[in-house]
Amino acid sequence: MAHPPLPTLLAFATLLSACVVQTGRPACGPRRLDVANLAARPVEQLYYGAPGAWGEDLLLGVELAQGAARPVVVPGVPGLTLRIVWADGRAIELSGLDPCRNARVVIAESSIRAD
């Protein structure tokens, strides 16, 4: 089995330590997060990251319909923000999510709850 090159491992370790410093809690590796949409409109985009640096849409361009649920994989970095964008362009955010402890997110009409 081939091992990643040392520079790759060092870069990953640096990123991981930066995450611990930023949030004050250790990372736990990629996590499955079940997302349920109980709102009356479809969710068009879902992001997990730092505000202003959202990265890739976790729904991969496939809307989450009203009443639907599905899993997504998020980085296991506690303390970042989950951003939901509905099909009508409105957005809502949940700050301080901990995917190391929370396994489910429920989207309601005007709120997001992590279980």
Side-chain angles (χ1 to χ4, degrees):
M1 180 167 100
H3 295 284
L6 186 57
T8 301
L9 291 174
L10 291 174
F12 179 73
T14 302
L15 177 62
L16 189 58
S17 66
C19 292
V20 172
V21 169
Q22 177 185 359
T23 65
R25 293 176 279 179
C28 59
R31 290 299 217 219
R32 175 187 161 141
L33 189 63
D34 293 320
V35 180
N37 181 14
L38 303 182
R41 56 191 180 265
V43 173
E44 185 176 77
Q45 299 166 356
L46 174 68
Y47 300 98
Y48 182 64
W54 295 115
E56 182 179 337
D57 173 16
L58 297 172
L59 296 177
L60 303 172
V62 179
E63 285 187 351
L64 181 60
Q66 171 190 4
R70 74 181 221 211
V72 296
V73 176
V74 297
V77 179
L80 297 178
T81 300
L82 187 71
R83 179 176 175 83
I84 307 294
V85 181
W86 283 288
D88 63 8
R90 288 190 279 171
I92 190 169
E93 296 176 1
L94 173 65
S95 298
L97 180 68
D98 187 348
C100 301
R101 294 183 184 187
N102 301 119
R104 185 168 193 252
V105 170
V106 178
I107 304 164
E109 217 39 57
S110 59
S111 65
I112 307 170
R113 180 183 84 236
D115 297 332

